[in-house]
Amino acid sequence: MFDVMSPCDLTDELSSSGTPDVSKDRPSDKDLQRADGCARITLLGSDSGTRIDDIFERSPMRVMFPRTGHRALEEAVLINTAGGVAGGDRLELCVTALPGASIAVTSQAAEKVYRALNEPARVVTRLKAHESARLAWLPQETIVFNWARFHRTTEIELFCGAELLALEWLVLGRAAHGEVVIAAT
């Protein structure tokens, strides 16, 4: 979990407990509308290439499969229609590449994690590659904003002969806006 703030906020907050002020008069993350989305993609290899075996989406998660030329299905693009993640949000993604499938999964844009009042956002990613499957997990960066709270879990299951390329990257603060990281737990 990371807390990020700008230098001008730092002086005001040094005497406090180190977390944003949440009083009894203000709502908590649980009082606000929160996203609870998920997506599941199962892909199967065939003589004609990779094909979708199963897909499920629950808002704000969407999955698109761009087609370029005459190529078989080779890429999935994840979209968070909410535009970002805030305290109390819950998102889950499961990608399964069955034997012979080959897929690269990416995101449409950088994942943005916004301020949380008192509860972290939770994001769970499950990646599974069966025998002779090829799976690339290549989302764009995660940008953590001031006072964001974020808990990410990534579970990976690989079978014998499977190939996985996985990348997760995190950007803490926005240097151009003068933000600095003040705490990491």
Side-chain angles (χ1 to χ4, degrees), residues 45-98:
S46 69
D47 292 337
S48 57
T50 300
R51 64 179 178 82
I52 299 169
D53 184 57
D54 179 44
I55 187 164
F56 173 81
E57 302 169 323
R58 183 174 67 222
S59 186
M61 304 279 295
R62 293 289 317 241
V63 182
M64 305 301 281
F65 297 94
R67 299 208 186 258
T68 55
H70 300 291
R71 295 171 45 194
L73 175 71
E74 295 178 1
E75 182 179 18
V77 179
L78 304 174
I79 301 170
N80 178 347
T81 61
V85 181
D89 286 354
R90 305 283 185 262
L91 300 176
E92 184 176 341
L93 171 70
C94 182
V95 179
T96 302
L98 295 173

Side-chain angles (χ1 to χ4, degrees), residues 68-130:
T68 55
H70 300 291
R71 295 171 45 194
L73 175 71
E74 295 178 1
E75 182 179 18
V77 179
L78 304 174
I79 301 170
N80 178 347
T81 61
V85 181
D89 286 354
R90 305 283 185 262
L91 300 176
E92 184 176 341
L93 171 70
C94 182
V95 179
T96 302
L98 295 173
S102 178
I103 189 78
V105 182
T106 188
S107 57
Q108 176 198 28
E111 179 178 52
K112 292 165 272 323
V113 183
Y114 298 110
R115 177 182 176 158
L117 299 176
N118 55 6
E119 187 177 337
R122 298 192 184 281
V123 178
V124 176
T125 305
R126 292 181 179 90
L127 306 173
K128 186 184 291 189
H130 285 259

